[in-house]
Each structure stands twice: as C-alpha cells, then as structure tokens.
Amino acid sequence: MIKNYSLFAVILLLSFWHDAHAQYEDLVHHSYAEEIASLKNLHTRLMQLDSAAAYAKWREIKEFAYNQADESLALEMNLFWANYLSDKGKHYQKSLNLLAQTARRATKKEYLPIAIRAHKKQASIYWYGLEDYANAFIHFRKMAKLLKQTTYLFYPDKVLDLKMIGKAYYAFKDYNSAIRYLKAAVVIQETVSNSWALADAMNTLGLCYQKLKQYEYANKWFNRIDSLENDSTRKAWLSRVRGNIGQSFYQLGQYQKATPLLKQDYKHAEKEKNWNRSAAALIPLAEINLKHNNLLTAKGYLQKARRYISISKASDQLRLWYPVMSKWCSAKGQFSDATMYLDSTIEAIKNYDAKYNSLKSIKMQQRIKMQHQQLGRTRLMVENKSETTRKSLWIGAFIFVLLLLLLLHYRQYRRMSKRQLQLKNTKLSLRESQQKIEKASMELENFTKEVVRKNKIIQDLKKDAEAVSCSVRLETLRQQSILTEEDWEQFKHLFEKAYPGFIEKVKEKYPHITPSLLRYLTLAKLKLSNKEMGHMLGISSNSLQVTRYRLVKKLNLTSENPVEDLLNSLS
C-alpha cells in the first residue's frame, strides 16, 4: 500500500512538472523585447491571485526558471512578487528589500530591462507609497544611467521611463532637468506601444516651457502631438492639448483666443470625468469672465471648479482657485470674504511649496549624507593608518631583501645568457653566410648560361639577317620566353624583322592598347596555340582566355572570329 502511494506521488510530481514546463517554456531564454507582452500578461494574471496562491506561483515559476538555467526569468518573478507585496499588501519595506537585491543581481548579470524596472518600482514606492522624494530621485537617477546603456529596440519601455523621470522633475519645478529627459524620450521612434507615452512627454515638454514663460516653444510641443501617427492617441489628446494652448493664450492675456479652447477642454474633461483637468480649465475661464465683468458666469465657473477640486481631491488647485474667488468677492463688494480667500491663497501656496518645492532640500540632504560618509571613511583611514604603516615597514623590508637577491640572480643569469647567445649567433651567422655563397654561385652560373644562350641567338640573327628565311625567324620567335621586360624587347626586335610595321599599325589604330594585350596580339599573329602562348608568357591557359576576352571588349570587336579578323585587317 505504501509503495502504491509513493508511486502515485511520483506520477503526480511528474505531471505537475510537465504542466509547469508546458505553461512557461515559451518564456525561457528570450529577451525582454521578445516576451514583453507575455510577461506583462503573466504579471497581470498573477496579481489577481490571493496571497497564498500568488506566493506558490512565484516559487513554482522561480524553481522552473532555475531548472531551465534561466536566471533572468527567476529575477522577473522577483519583480512580480515585489509588486504584489507593495500593491496588494502594502508591505513596502519587504518589497524594497527584494527589489534592491534584484536590481543588484540584474545589474551584475547585465539584465538591463530587469535592473531598470527594479529601480523604477523602488522609485514609485518611495514617491507614491512613502512620499520619500529624496530616495525616489536616487532611483530615478539610477534608472537614467541604465537607460543610457540600452535602446528602445532592446527595451521597449524606454519612452515610458524617460517620460516618468521627466514628469518627476517637472513636479518639483526643475523644468530644465525635466526638459532634458523628456527630449531624450520624444526622439525615439513611435510605435503602437509607446505612442501614448510620446504624447504625454510632448505635452509635459509644452508645460515645462509654459512654466518658463516660453510660450512659443510651449505651443510648438503641444502642436507636435497632432503629428503622431496613432489616430486613437491623437484624438484622445486633442482637447487636452487645445486646453493647454488655451492656457498659454490666457497667460499672455489673449483672452479671445483662450476662451474657446478652454471651454472645449473643460467640457471634454467633464465627459471623461477628469475632474482635475476640468477644474484647471474652469478657473482661468472664471477669471476671464471676471475681467469682462460677467460676474454671474464667473461665479458659475468658480462653483463648478470648486466642486471638481473636492471630487478629485486635487487640493493643489486651490492655490489658483482662492485668488480668483477673492477677486470675485471684491467685485461684489464682499471685502471680508475677499480677505478671507486671500489668506486662504497664502496658506494654499505655502502648502504647495512645502510639498513640491523641496528639491533643493533633497539635494542638500544628499550632500550632507555624502559629507558624513566621506567623514566616516576619513576617520577609518586615520584609525587604520598606524597599523597599515607598521605592516608596510615589515613588508617593505622583506620585499627589499627579496629584490636584492633577485637582482643578484638576474645579473648572473644575464652574463650566462649573453655568452650563450653570442656563441649561438656566431654559429648562425657562419651557416647563413655559407648558404648565401652557395646560392649566389648557383644563380651566377644559371644567369651566365642564359645570357650566353640569348646572345648566341641574337648574334646569329645579326650576322645574316637577310639570308635567314622567314620560317627560321618564326621558329626562333616561337622558341622565345617572354617573362621579363628584357625578354619582351628581344622578342619584339625579332618580331619586327618577321612582320615589319605590324606593331606600329596596332598602336596607331588602337593608341590605348595595354602592353599585355599587345603581347597577346603578337603571339596570336604567330598562330601559336594557347599552350604555347602560356609556356612563353609563364601563365595558364585560363589566364590567356581572360586576356582574349579583355582584348575583344577593350577594342570593341564584334565579329564571329574577332581576333583572327583583326589580324587579317592589319596584314
């Protein structure tokens, strides 16, 4: 009975392993760019599980990944579990610890997409969960450094991440830093997956320039969204962009241009139930109507804006709403209420600055932290200096003695090596000299024989040039070898006696003919076979075929027997 249970357990385990393998094998040993859709779908499905089931799946897939020797998939599962801990359980510190470990391992193994996303999640936890903006920016900077080392083809989320960093700096009013990251995002090629992030980056760029009061640049970036290829993205951003352009006109005092754009924006935002954006458009509309003494319309806009601020819990908008409400009360003669709203304006601005204008404080904290770290390192160096100095003296003395012994040994070794090298070089020089002498003697003997043979042929021809028959001359020509320029000159001298004026006719008719083609024609004139020509020139028959082809092409010969017809025409 026990054996049956054991067998059943083994079968169950094998079945479980086979199911896991089949389910996750498509994720093994693929890059993030190749499997981004599958991974995001897996993360979404796992996030819907309860904590016990999610934990079991995390361990199951990690074990499967290690069995397949795919550490990147195992680290991917760490990202999932860290997300689950923070988003579902609000266990921020556990999530941060796991993410830090994952980021270190992924960076060491150069799994850049995982390292980047680990730092991104840490930044998000510090920013939204803990409101610890100092640590959030530390991870934003680490993200930015890693993003420089990759491309959007390798890491498709690059636009989204650069936009995220840029918007963080925008929130802290560091508009120049925001512009730098956002511009790095908008130069990336548009795809279906990054189109929305590109639009958001362009819109935030426009907002940055709007804050810097560079309205021409602001509107340029707002209008750039209209050039995106994705229709759904373009349509979704159309009214929002027009609203932002309306804000630019409003800040420039061009109320006639601003009003229709702001109205369109707040109505579209109401349909989308985007109460924060609707309130942002209603507040300037109220002030424009206030300036035109349309107090009733202005009051309606202000009431609606206040309701939307309350619904969206966007208390930052109050710093803009209070001063307009104060002006409306003054216009109605309600001066005590106007003063009250003015005081509220001051308080709202203080709260806003305390929340978002702390980047300088963050940088100061970081600088102080670095100074403390440097001080600690200096103190440690001072404490260890005496011990290090004492050890260094003993080590130095030992090294000195060792070097002295090595120097004496080296000098003795060099003396012996020098003597052996001199003896070896002497023997080698004698051997080389003997070989050179033997080679020179052989070359001299061969050269002398060849000169004597050629001189004899030339002298015989010169003695009785007229008496020698044409056939004898031709036979002499056929026995020549044309391997050097000197051989060619001798051959040409004999050829011109056998065929006077032939070479001149060729050069006159074809002034651009090359020396090699001219040689081929003279040999063809002798009616030699390819084998005989090759023997005289020291080349193969195939090379002669190439030379013949070049001759026909260069001289533009078109007949069926081009070379033979040419030779006949020159006779």
Side-chain angles (χ1 to χ4, degrees):
M1 190 72 175
I2 294 174
K3 289 182 179 179
N4 290 337
Y5 277 126
S6 300
L7 180 61
F8 174 75
V10 170
I11 294 171
L12 185 64
L13 182 62
L14 290 173
S15 174
F16 167 79
W17 168 248
H18 179 268
D19 290 343
H21 187 278
Q23 188 175 1
Y24 308 123
E25 63 182 0
D26 289 343
L27 299 173
V28 176
H29 301 302
H30 289 289
S31 69
Y32 179 66
E34 292 171 330
E35 294 298 332
I36 181 171
S38 299
L39 286 170
K40 287 185 177 180
N41 182 50
L42 177 63
H43 276 249
T44 301
R45 287 190 288 109
L46 295 179
M47 289 294 288
Q48 295 171 357
L49 302 175
D50 60 61
S51 59
Y55 180 80
K57 279 293 180 185
W58 169 51
R59 298 304 299 265
E60 172 192 323
I61 301 174
K62 273 191 70 173
E63 183 179 356
F64 168 76
Y66 282 125
N67 286 332
Q68 296 295 315
D70 188 351
E71 188 174 2
S72 65
L73 179 57
L75 292 173
E76 191 72 46
M77 287 300 98
N78 279 355
L79 285 181
F80 150 69
W81 186 239
N83 273 280
Y84 195 97
L85 288 171
S86 63
D87 297 354
K88 287 292 189 74
K90 306 301 179 185
H91 301 302
Y92 294 131
Q93 196 53 54
K94 288 183 179 179
S95 179
L96 288 170
N97 291 340
L98 182 57
L99 288 166
Q101 173 191 342
T102 303
R104 284 194 299 271
R105 187 64 181 168
T107 303
K108 183 178 180 181
K109 290 287 187 176
E110 296 185 350
Y111 301 142
L112 293 184
I114 295 174
I116 292 168
R117 287 182 294 137
H119 285 299
K120 178 166 65 173
K121 186 59 183 178
Q122 288 177 86
S124 297
I125 291 172
Y126 281 120
W127 186 281
Y128 299 108
L130 302 174
E131 294 187 0
D132 182 351
Y133 303 115
N135 274 311
F137 273 101
I138 288 173
H139 290 286
F140 281 138
R141 281 190 287 272
K142 289 180 179 180
M143 278 175 64
K145 184 178 178 181
L146 293 171
L147 285 168
K148 285 183 179 179
Q149 301 174 34
T150 187
T151 65
Y152 81 95
L153 293 174
F154 182 70
Y155 182 60
D157 295 339
K158 187 169 184 178
V159 175
L160 181 67
D161 291 359
L162 287 169
K163 182 264 298 182
M164 179 183 182
I165 298 170
K167 293 190 76 167
Y169 278 100
Y170 171 79
F172 274 88
K173 301 182 182 179
D174 188 352
Y175 303 123
N176 290 321
S177 294
I179 287 170
R180 185 170 71 252
Y181 288 109
L182 293 167
K183 282 190 173 180
V186 297
V187 298
I188 295 173
Q189 182 179 343
E190 180 187 1
T191 63
V192 174
S193 61
N194 71 16
S195 180
W196 187 272
L198 278 174
D200 197 0
M202 291 174 184
N203 183 65
T204 309
L205 265 172
L207 294 174
C208 287
Y209 283 112
Q210 197 176 76
K211 296 294 185 183
L212 295 171
K213 301 188 184 304
Q214 299 179 27
Y215 299 108
E216 185 177 349
Y217 283 110
N219 290 345
K220 168 193 164 185
W221 284 107
F222 291 141
N223 286 319
R224 273 280 296 273
I225 296 174
D226 198 39
S227 66
L228 292 173
E229 295 179 3
N230 190 296
D231 288 336
S232 60
T233 300
R234 210 168 47 247
K235 290 174 182 177
W237 280 87
L238 186 61
S239 63
R240 184 180 306 188
V241 166
R242 287 177 179 171
N244 288 335
I245 295 173
Q247 293 280 0
S248 293
F249 287 134
Y250 162 72
Q251 292 174 29
L252 286 167
Q254 299 177 16
Y255 302 131
Q256 191 172 359
K257 292 182 178 180
T259 299
L261 296 172
L262 292 169
K263 280 184 179 179
Q264 182 181 357
D265 186 30
Y266 101 78
K267 289 178 180 178
H268 193 273
E270 279 183 333
K271 290 180 181 178
E272 294 181 345
K273 295 185 178 181
N274 189 332
W275 311 118
N276 186 22
R277 197 177 105 217
S278 186
L282 285 163
I283 293 169
L285 278 171
E287 186 165 13
I288 290 171
N289 279 274
L290 196 58
K291 288 180 182 292
H292 289 90
N293 207 31
N294 298 326
L295 300 185
L296 185 61
T297 305
K299 181 63 181 296
Y301 285 145
L302 284 168
Q303 288 176 335
K304 190 177 286 190
R306 185 66 183 87
R307 186 166 69 254
Y308 291 162
I309 290 171
S310 178
I311 294 171
S312 63
K313 298 180 182 179
S315 58
D316 293 345
Q317 295 274 23
L318 291 173
R319 78 191 193 282
L320 305 173
W321 186 86
Y322 283 136
V324 181
M325 191 64 199
S326 177
K327 291 176 186 178
W328 186 89
C329 290
S330 295
K332 292 288 287 185
Q334 301 172 6
F335 298 113
S336 60
D337 288 342
T339 303
M340 180 188 68
Y341 283 121
L342 192 60
D343 291 340
S344 297
T345 300
I346 295 169
E347 188 64 26
I349 291 172
K350 281 183 180 179
N351 291 336
Y352 179 79
D353 288 343
K355 184 177 180 181
Y356 286 109
N357 199 25
S358 59
L359 188 58
K360 291 182 180 178
S361 174
I362 290 171
K363 291 180 178 178
M364 182 60 70
Q365 291 173 15
Q366 291 172 348
R367 193 177 296 113
I368 292 170
K369 185 177 179 181
M370 289 176 64
Q371 288 173 350
H372 280 303
Q373 290 174 346
Q374 182 63 36
L375 185 62
R377 286 194 292 268
T378 304
R379 187 183 296 112
L380 185 63
M381 287 173 64
V382 170
E383 290 173 354
N384 293 334
K385 189 174 182 181
S386 59
E387 182 65 23
T388 303
T389 303
R390 189 163 50 253
K391 289 180 180 178
S392 297
L393 287 172
W394 281 105
I395 293 171
F398 174 76
I399 291 173
F400 176 76
V401 173
L402 181 62
L403 287 174
L404 184 62
L405 292 172
L406 288 173
L407 180 62
L408 292 172
H409 177 73
Y410 178 69
R411 289 180 66 181
Q412 182 66 23
Y413 172 76
R414 282 201 64 182
R415 288 195 195 99
M416 296 295 295
S417 298
K418 189 175 181 181
R419 289 173 187 168
Q420 292 177 358
L421 184 61
Q422 286 175 346
L423 181 61
K424 184 178 180 181
N425 287 340
T426 301
K427 292 179 179 178
L428 185 62
S429 297
L430 288 172
R431 191 181 299 113
E432 289 178 350
S433 299
Q434 184 65 30
Q435 289 174 350
K436 287 179 181 179
I437 291 170
E438 292 175 357
K439 184 179 179 182
S441 299
M442 187 179 296
E443 289 177 350
L444 180 60
E445 182 179 352
N446 292 335
F447 179 76
T448 302
K449 290 179 180 179
E450 182 64 17
V451 169
V452 169
R453 187 186 70 81
K454 289 186 177 181
N455 284 341
K456 186 176 184 305
I457 293 171
I458 294 169
Q459 291 300 323
D460 291 343
L461 287 171
K462 285 182 177 180
K463 284 179 182 179
D464 193 10
E466 298 299 330
V468 177
S469 66
C470 182
S471 61
V472 174
R473 288 176 182 170
L474 294 176
E475 185 61 28
T476 304
L477 286 170
R478 288 189 176 94
Q479 294 176 358
Q480 292 294 299
S481 62
I482 308 174
L483 301 176
T484 66
E485 284 299 321
E486 183 182 355
D487 294 336
W488 166 246
E489 290 300 325
Q490 292 177 6
F491 175 84
K492 188 167 64 171
H493 177 74
L494 295 173
F495 184 87
E496 286 176 341
K497 287 185 177 292
Y499 297 100
F502 178 82
I503 293 176
E504 290 302 320
K505 287 180 183 178
V506 174
K507 288 183 177 180
E508 183 179 344
K509 188 170 183 179
Y510 302 105
H512 300 299
I513 193 169
T514 63
S516 61
L517 297 181
L518 180 60
R519 291 179 190 181
Y520 179 85
L521 275 177
T522 59
L523 294 177
K525 184 66 177 176
L526 294 175
K527 298 182 179 179
L528 297 176
S529 66
N530 283 347
K531 183 176 181 181
E532 290 170 330
M533 289 184 189
H535 178 72
M536 291 181 69
L537 296 172
I539 60 176
S540 67
S541 298
N542 290 335
S543 298
L544 281 171
Q545 290 293 338
V546 173
T547 305
R548 178 185 175 89
Y549 172 77
R550 286 174 50 216
L551 175 71
V552 171
K553 187 175 179 181
K554 187 170 184 66
L555 302 187
N556 198 22
L557 306 178
T558 57
S559 65
E560 293 184 3
N561 300 306
V563 177
E564 291 78 2
D565 292 346
L566 172 63
L567 293 173
N568 292 333
S569 68
L570 294 171
S571 299

